[in-house]
Amino acid sequence: MTLVEFMISGSIAAILLSAVAMLTFYTGRSFASMANYIELDQHSRGTLDQMSQQIRQTTKLLSATSQKLVFLDHDGSNLTYVYNPTNRTLIRQKTGQPDKVLLTGCDNLEFNIFQRNPINGTYNQYPTANAATCKLVQLRWTCSRDNIYSRFNTESVQSARIVIRKQ
Amino acid sequence: MVEVLVAVGIIGIMFVSLYSGFSSGFAVVQLARENLRATQILQEKMETIRLYTWEQLNTPNFIPTNFLEDFYATTNANSGVVYTGSVTIAACPITEAYSNDLRQVTMKVQWESAGILRNREMITFVSRYGLQNYIY
C-alpha cells in the first residue's frame, strides 16, 4: 500500500467513523430523551388516574390554594394533595395512611377550582375562591427529568379537570 | 474485491436497518405520547359534560362545536402539535320510547403526526333525567 492509498483510505475511514459517531451521539441522546418521556408519562398518567378516581369520590373540598387541596374524603377523613416546590414533589396525605409521593421532578404545579355553572359559549366554568362552592378541580403540572445533555430537554405536561361527583 | 464489496453491502444494509428501527421506535413513542394527550383532551371535555343542564345541552352553541388545544397544556413558546376538536350533540340512535330523553355527545380530535392525519373520538349518552340533576 502506497502512502497515497493509505491517506485516502484513512480519510474515508475518518469520515465514516465521524458519521457513525454523530449517529451514535444523536441516537444516544434520543434514547435518553425517550426513556425519560416514557418514565414521565407513565408516572404522570398513573398520578392523574389515581387523583381523578380519588377526587371524584370525595365528599367536598375543604380548603384550596394553588398548591394545596384538602378534601373531605368519602370515609370522613381528610385527603390532601400538596405540592412542595423546594423538593419538586407532589404528595398525597390521608389521615391514618403514610404519605405518598405521587410525582417527583415536578417543576411547577397549579390547582384551580371552579363552580359548577358553565360559561355560555365556552368550555369553562366560573372560577371560585370559596372551597364550599367548588364542583370542579383543574390540575396542571410540568415534570422534567435530567438527561446528560440538558435538564429541560425532557419534560412532560399534564392537565385535567375533575368533577367532584358528590358535591 | 468481491468479498469486500459483499461485506460492505451487508454492513450497509445492517446499519440502515438498525437506524430505521431506531427511527420507527421513536416515531411509535411520539405517537403514543400524542395519543395520550388526545385522550386527555377528550377526557377533560367529556368530564364537564355532566355539568350542563338538559336545556344548556340543547341550546345551540351554548357548548362550542369546535376547539383547539395544544400538546403542551401550559403556556409555552413551543406548543407542539395542535389538536383540532369538534363536539356534536345529536339525537340518540336508538328506537326505544325514551330516545327523545337522550342525546348522543361525540367529541373528536384531529391532529397531524408525521404527515398523517390522526383521529380519535369519544362518545357518551346524556339523559334528560340523569347526571345534571345531581346539583348541590
Side-chain angles (χ1 to χ4, degrees), chain A residues 96-119:
Chain A
Q97 293 182 9
D99 291 359
K100 185 177 179 184
V101 178
L102 297 175
L103 291 173
T104 57
C106 199
D107 299 312
N108 63 66
L109 183 145
E110 190 180 23
F111 297 124
N112 295 108
I113 59 173
F114 299 85
Q115 303 173 60
R116 70 163 295 122
N117 314 55
I119 301 172

PDB file of all heavy atoms in Angstrom, chain A residues 96-119:
ATOM      1  N   GLY A  96     -54.395   8.584  58.718  1.00  0.00           N
ATOM      2  CA  GLY A  96     -54.263   7.161  59.012  1.00  0.00           C
ATOM      3  C   GLY A  96     -53.447   6.384  58.007  1.00  0.00           C
ATOM      4  O   GLY A  96     -53.304   5.167  58.128  1.00  0.00           O
ATOM      5  N   GLN A  97     -52.937   7.075  56.998  1.00  0.00           N
ATOM      6  CA  GLN A  97     -52.116   6.384  55.991  1.00  0.00           C
ATOM      7  C   GLN A  97     -50.785   7.112  55.839  1.00  0.00           C
ATOM      8  O   GLN A  97     -50.727   8.332  56.042  1.00  0.00           O
ATOM      9  CB  GLN A  97     -52.829   6.356  54.632  1.00  0.00           C
ATOM     10  CG  GLN A  97     -54.083   5.496  54.609  1.00  0.00           C
ATOM     11  CD  GLN A  97     -54.725   5.468  53.223  1.00  0.00           C
ATOM     12  OE1 GLN A  97     -54.164   5.938  52.251  1.00  0.00           O
ATOM     13  NE2 GLN A  97     -55.924   4.916  53.164  1.00  0.00           N
ATOM     14  N   PRO A  98     -49.738   6.397  55.478  1.00  0.00           N
ATOM     15  CA  PRO A  98     -48.460   7.092  55.270  1.00  0.00           C
ATOM     16  C   PRO A  98     -48.533   8.002  54.048  1.00  0.00           C
ATOM     17  O   PRO A  98     -49.283   7.724  53.106  1.00  0.00           O
ATOM     18  CB  PRO A  98     -47.464   5.941  55.037  1.00  0.00           C
ATOM     19  CG  PRO A  98     -48.292   4.777  54.645  1.00  0.00           C
ATOM     20  CD  PRO A  98     -49.631   4.956  55.282  1.00  0.00           C
ATOM     21  N   ASP A  99     -47.755   9.074  54.101  1.00  0.00           N
ATOM     22  CA  ASP A  99     -47.717   9.988  52.957  1.00  0.00           C
ATOM     23  C   ASP A  99     -47.189   9.257  51.728  1.00  0.00           C
ATOM     24  O   ASP A  99     -46.328   8.379  51.844  1.00  0.00           O
ATOM     25  CB  ASP A  99     -46.813  11.189  53.260  1.00  0.00           C
ATOM     26  CG  ASP A  99     -47.429  12.088  54.316  1.00  0.00           C
ATOM     27  OD1 ASP A  99     -48.552  11.780  54.777  1.00  0.00           O
ATOM     28  OD2 ASP A  99     -46.786  13.078  54.689  1.00  0.00           O
ATOM     29  N   LYS A 100     -47.699   9.665  50.589  1.00  0.00           N
ATOM     30  CA  LYS A 100     -47.275   9.003  49.360  1.00  0.00           C
ATOM     31  C   LYS A 100     -46.804  10.060  48.358  1.00  0.00           C
ATOM     32  O   LYS A 100     -47.538  11.010  48.061  1.00  0.00           O
ATOM     33  CB  LYS A 100     -48.446   8.217  48.774  1.00  0.00           C
ATOM     34  CG  LYS A 100     -48.084   7.410  47.562  1.00  0.00           C
ATOM     35  CD  LYS A 100     -49.287   6.610  47.093  1.00  0.00           C
ATOM     36  CE  LYS A 100     -48.955   5.811  45.846  1.00  0.00           C
ATOM     37  NZ  LYS A 100     -50.119   5.099  45.323  1.00  0.00           N
ATOM     38  N   VAL A 101     -45.598   9.885  47.862  1.00  0.00           N
ATOM     39  CA  VAL A 101     -45.085  10.813  46.849  1.00  0.00           C
ATOM     40  C   VAL A 101     -45.630  10.371  45.495  1.00  0.00           C
ATOM     41  O   VAL A 101     -45.331   9.285  45.013  1.00  0.00           O
ATOM     42  CB  VAL A 101     -43.538  10.811  46.837  1.00  0.00           C
ATOM     43  CG1 VAL A 101     -43.022  11.740  45.732  1.00  0.00           C
ATOM     44  CG2 VAL A 101     -43.000  11.248  48.183  1.00  0.00           C
ATOM     45  N   LEU A 102     -46.442  11.243  44.908  1.00  0.00           N
ATOM     46  CA  LEU A 102     -47.058  10.891  43.627  1.00  0.00           C
ATOM     47  C   LEU A 102     -46.179  11.297  42.453  1.00  0.00           C
ATOM     48  O   LEU A 102     -46.100  10.589  41.454  1.00  0.00           O
ATOM     49  CB  LEU A 102     -48.420  11.573  43.499  1.00  0.00           C
ATOM     50  CG  LEU A 102     -49.485  11.167  44.517  1.00  0.00           C
ATOM     51  CD1 LEU A 102     -50.727  12.020  44.345  1.00  0.00           C
ATOM     52  CD2 LEU A 102     -49.838   9.703  44.363  1.00  0.00           C
ATOM     53  N   LEU A 103     -45.552  12.465  42.590  1.00  0.00           N
ATOM     54  CA  LEU A 103     -44.724  12.959  41.487  1.00  0.00           C
ATOM     55  C   LEU A 103     -43.389  13.452  42.009  1.00  0.00           C
ATOM     56  O   LEU A 103     -43.327  14.063  43.076  1.00  0.00           O
ATOM     57  CB  LEU A 103     -45.407  14.139  40.780  1.00  0.00           C
ATOM     58  CG  LEU A 103     -46.671  13.881  39.976  1.00  0.00           C
ATOM     59  CD1 LEU A 103     -47.261  15.208  39.513  1.00  0.00           C
ATOM     60  CD2 LEU A 103     -46.375  13.003  38.768  1.00  0.00           C
ATOM     61  N   THR A 104     -42.360  13.205  41.262  1.00  0.00           N
ATOM     62  CA  THR A 104     -41.050  13.784  41.570  1.00  0.00           C
ATOM     63  C   THR A 104     -40.593  14.579  40.349  1.00  0.00           C
ATOM     64  O   THR A 104     -41.117  14.378  39.249  1.00  0.00           O
ATOM     65  CB  THR A 104     -40.001  12.704  41.880  1.00  0.00           C
ATOM     66  OG1 THR A 104     -39.931  11.816  40.749  1.00  0.00           O
ATOM     67  CG2 THR A 104     -40.349  11.904  43.122  1.00  0.00           C
ATOM     68  N   GLY A 105     -39.642  15.471  40.576  1.00  0.00           N
ATOM     69  CA  GLY A 105     -39.144  16.277  39.455  1.00  0.00           C
ATOM     70  C   GLY A 105     -40.211  17.188  38.880  1.00  0.00           C
ATOM     71  O   GLY A 105     -40.241  17.449  37.682  1.00  0.00           O
ATOM     72  N   CYS A 106     -41.085  17.653  39.761  1.00  0.00           N
ATOM     73  CA  CYS A 106     -42.223  18.471  39.324  1.00  0.00           C
ATOM     74  C   CYS A 106     -41.801  19.944  39.352  1.00  0.00           C
ATOM     75  O   CYS A 106     -41.621  20.517  40.421  1.00  0.00           O
ATOM     76  CB  CYS A 106     -43.381  18.205  40.265  1.00  0.00           C
ATOM     77  SG  CYS A 106     -44.941  18.670  39.588  1.00  0.00           S
ATOM     78  N   ASP A 107     -41.660  20.565  38.196  1.00  0.00           N
ATOM     79  CA  ASP A 107     -41.151  21.941  38.132  1.00  0.00           C
ATOM     80  C   ASP A 107     -42.201  22.977  38.487  1.00  0.00           C
ATOM     81  O   ASP A 107     -41.891  23.997  39.067  1.00  0.00           O
ATOM     82  CB  ASP A 107     -40.604  22.224  36.735  1.00  0.00           C
ATOM     83  CG  ASP A 107     -39.458  21.297  36.398  1.00  0.00           C
ATOM     84  OD1 ASP A 107     -38.566  21.154  37.251  1.00  0.00           O
ATOM     85  OD2 ASP A 107     -39.471  20.707  35.314  1.00  0.00           O
ATOM     86  N   ASN A 108     -43.424  22.723  38.088  1.00  0.00           N
ATOM     87  CA  ASN A 108     -44.494  23.601  38.541  1.00  0.00           C
ATOM     88  C   ASN A 108     -45.802  22.823  38.564  1.00  0.00           C
ATOM     89  O   ASN A 108     -45.992  21.880  37.790  1.00  0.00           O
ATOM     90  CB  ASN A 108     -44.594  24.880  37.700  1.00  0.00           C
ATOM     91  CG  ASN A 108     -44.924  24.595  36.272  1.00  0.00           C
ATOM     92  OD1 ASN A 108     -46.012  24.113  35.983  1.00  0.00           O
ATOM     93  ND2 ASN A 108     -44.004  24.856  35.367  1.00  0.00           N
ATOM     94  N   LEU A 109     -46.641  23.241  39.460  1.00  0.00           N
ATOM     95  CA  LEU A 109     -47.943  22.576  39.604  1.00  0.00           C
ATOM     96  C   LEU A 109     -48.937  23.621  40.079  1.00  0.00           C
ATOM     97  O   LEU A 109     -48.608  24.479  40.897  1.00  0.00           O
ATOM     98  CB  LEU A 109     -47.847  21.435  40.611  1.00  0.00           C
ATOM     99  CG  LEU A 109     -49.128  20.610  40.810  1.00  0.00           C
ATOM    100  CD1 LEU A 109     -48.786  19.166  41.070  1.00  0.00           C
ATOM    101  CD2 LEU A 109     -49.965  21.148  41.958  1.00  0.00           C
ATOM    102  N   GLU A 110     -50.112  23.558  39.536  1.00  0.00           N
ATOM    103  CA  GLU A 110     -51.125  24.546  39.904  1.00  0.00           C
ATOM    104  C   GLU A 110     -52.490  23.885  40.000  1.00  0.00           C
ATOM    105  O   GLU A 110     -52.878  23.121  39.117  1.00  0.00           O
ATOM    106  CB  GLU A 110     -51.159  25.659  38.848  1.00  0.00           C
ATOM    107  CG  GLU A 110     -51.993  26.840  39.264  1.00  0.00           C
ATOM    108  CD  GLU A 110     -52.007  27.918  38.197  1.00  0.00           C
ATOM    109  OE1 GLU A 110     -51.762  27.608  37.017  1.00  0.00           O
ATOM    110  OE2 GLU A 110     -52.268  29.066  38.553  1.00  0.00           O
ATOM    111  N   PHE A 111     -53.183  24.184  41.093  1.00  0.00           N
ATOM    112  CA  PHE A 111     -54.572  23.754  41.241  1.00  0.00           C
ATOM    113  C   PHE A 111     -55.471  24.965  41.036  1.00  0.00           C
ATOM    114  O   PHE A 111     -55.177  26.054  41.541  1.00  0.00           O
ATOM    115  CB  PHE A 111     -54.828  23.207  42.656  1.00  0.00           C
ATOM    116  CG  PHE A 111     -54.041  21.973  43.000  1.00  0.00           C
ATOM    117  CD1 PHE A 111     -53.216  21.944  44.110  1.00  0.00           C
ATOM    118  CD2 PHE A 111     -54.140  20.829  42.223  1.00  0.00           C
ATOM    119  CE1 PHE A 111     -52.497  20.803  44.451  1.00  0.00           C
ATOM    120  CE2 PHE A 111     -53.429  19.680  42.556  1.00  0.00           C
ATOM    121  CZ  PHE A 111     -52.610  19.673  43.666  1.00  0.00           C
ATOM    122  N   ASN A 112     -56.550  24.774  40.338  1.00  0.00           N
ATOM    123  CA  ASN A 112     -57.582  25.815  40.207  1.00  0.00           C
ATOM    124  C   ASN A 112     -58.920  25.182  40.505  1.00  0.00           C
ATOM    125  O   ASN A 112     -59.142  24.013  40.183  1.00  0.00           O
ATOM    126  CB  ASN A 112     -57.604  26.405  38.796  1.00  0.00           C
ATOM    127  CG  ASN A 112     -56.323  27.146  38.479  1.00  0.00           C
ATOM    128  OD1 ASN A 112     -55.505  26.688  37.691  1.00  0.00           O
ATOM    129  ND2 ASN A 112     -56.119  28.288  39.102  1.00  0.00           N
ATOM    130  N   ILE A 113     -59.795  25.977  41.092  1.00  0.00           N
ATOM    131  CA  ILE A 113     -61.116  25.423  41.419  1.00  0.00           C
ATOM    132  C   ILE A 113     -62.221  26.249  40.761  1.00  0.00           C
ATOM    133  O   ILE A 113     -62.083  27.454  40.565  1.00  0.00           O
ATOM    134  CB  ILE A 113     -61.327  25.326  42.950  1.00  0.00           C
ATOM    135  CG1 ILE A 113     -61.197  26.689  43.616  1.00  0.00           C
ATOM    136  CG2 ILE A 113     -60.371  24.339  43.561  1.00  0.00           C
ATOM    137  CD1 ILE A 113     -61.563  26.680  45.107  1.00  0.00           C
ATOM    138  N   PHE A 114     -63.295  25.562  40.412  1.00  0.00           N
ATOM    139  CA  PHE A 114     -64.397  26.193  39.686  1.00  0.00           C
ATOM    140  C   PHE A 114     -65.738  25.772  40.275  1.00  0.00           C
ATOM    141  O   PHE A 114     -65.864  24.700  40.863  1.00  0.00           O
ATOM    142  CB  PHE A 114     -64.361  25.779  38.204  1.00  0.00           C
ATOM    143  CG  PHE A 114     -63.109  26.196  37.494  1.00  0.00           C
ATOM    144  CD1 PHE A 114     -61.974  25.406  37.543  1.00  0.00           C
ATOM    145  CD2 PHE A 114     -63.058  27.387  36.781  1.00  0.00           C
ATOM    146  CE1 PHE A 114     -60.809  25.785  36.896  1.00  0.00           C
ATOM    147  CE2 PHE A 114     -61.902  27.778  36.133  1.00  0.00           C
ATOM    148  CZ  PHE A 114     -60.770  26.977  36.186  1.00  0.00           C
ATOM    149  N   GLN A 115     -66.734  26.629  40.040  1.00  0.00           N
ATOM    150  CA  GLN A 115     -68.113  26.276  40.392  1.00  0.00           C
ATOM    151  C   GLN A 115     -68.662  25.340  39.322  1.00  0.00           C
ATOM    152  O   GLN A 115     -67.999  25.066  38.334  1.00  0.00           O
ATOM    153  CB  GLN A 115     -68.978  27.532  40.440  1.00  0.00           C
ATOM    154  CG  GLN A 115     -68.497  28.600  41.396  1.00  0.00           C
ATOM    155  CD  GLN A 115     -69.302  29.868  41.243  1.00  0.00           C
ATOM    156  OE1 GLN A 115     -70.507  29.862  41.437  1.00  0.00           O
ATOM    157  NE2 GLN A 115     -68.636  30.947  40.893  1.00  0.00           N
ATOM    158  N   ARG A 116     -69.903  24.934  39.501  1.00  0.00           N
ATOM    159  CA  ARG A 116     -70.467  24.024  38.521  1.00  0.00           C
ATOM    160  C   ARG A 116     -71.034  24.737  37.290  1.00  0.00           C
ATOM    161  O   ARG A 116     -71.174  24.137  36.234  1.00  0.00           O
ATOM    162  CB  ARG A 116     -71.549  23.138  39.137  1.00  0.00           C
ATOM    163  CG  ARG A 116     -72.819  23.831  39.509  1.00  0.00           C
ATOM    164  CD  ARG A 116     -73.944  22.822  39.709  1.00  0.00           C
ATOM    165  NE  ARG A 116     -74.284  22.124  38.494  1.00  0.00           N
ATOM    166  CZ  ARG A 116     -74.265  20.807  38.308  1.00  0.00           C
ATOM    167  NH1 ARG A 116     -73.912  20.021  39.280  1.00  0.00           N
ATOM    168  NH2 ARG A 116     -74.591  20.274  37.173  1.00  0.00           N
ATOM    169  N   ASN A 117     -71.343  26.050  37.401  1.00  0.00           N
ATOM    170  CA  ASN A 117     -72.024  26.746  36.309  1.00  0.00           C
ATOM    171  C   ASN A 117     -71.122  26.929  35.099  1.00  0.00           C
ATOM    172  O   ASN A 117     -70.091  27.585  35.190  1.00  0.00           O
ATOM    173  CB  ASN A 117     -72.468  28.135  36.770  1.00  0.00           C
ATOM    174  CG  ASN A 117     -73.140  28.089  38.114  1.00  0.00           C
ATOM    175  OD1 ASN A 117     -72.559  27.587  39.073  1.00  0.00           O
ATOM    176  ND2 ASN A 117     -74.340  28.579  38.187  1.00  0.00           N
ATOM    177  N   PRO A 118     -71.530  26.400  33.956  1.00  0.00           N
ATOM    178  CA  PRO A 118     -70.730  26.601  32.742  1.00  0.00           C
ATOM    179  C   PRO A 118     -70.918  28.014  32.185  1.00  0.00           C
ATOM    180  O   PRO A 118     -71.989  28.604  32.343  1.00  0.00           O
ATOM    181  CB  PRO A 118     -71.296  25.561  31.761  1.00  0.00           C
ATOM    182  CG  PRO A 118     -72.213  24.695  32.549  1.00  0.00           C
ATOM    183  CD  PRO A 118     -72.666  25.503  33.709  1.00  0.00           C
ATOM    184  N   ILE A 119     -69.894  28.524  31.542  1.00  0.00           N
ATOM    185  CA  ILE A 119     -69.987  29.838  30.903  1.00  0.00           C
ATOM    186  C   ILE A 119     -70.477  29.627  29.481  1.00  0.00           C
ATOM    187  O   ILE A 119     -69.912  28.817  28.731  1.00  0.00           O
ATOM    188  CB  ILE A 119     -68.616  30.549  30.907  1.00  0.00           C
ATOM    189  CG1 ILE A 119     -68.126  30.723  32.344  1.00  0.00           C
ATOM    190  CG2 ILE A 119     -68.692  31.888  30.191  1.00  0.00           C
ATOM    191  CD1 ILE A 119     -66.706  31.242  32.458  1.00  0.00           C
TER     192      ILE A 119
END
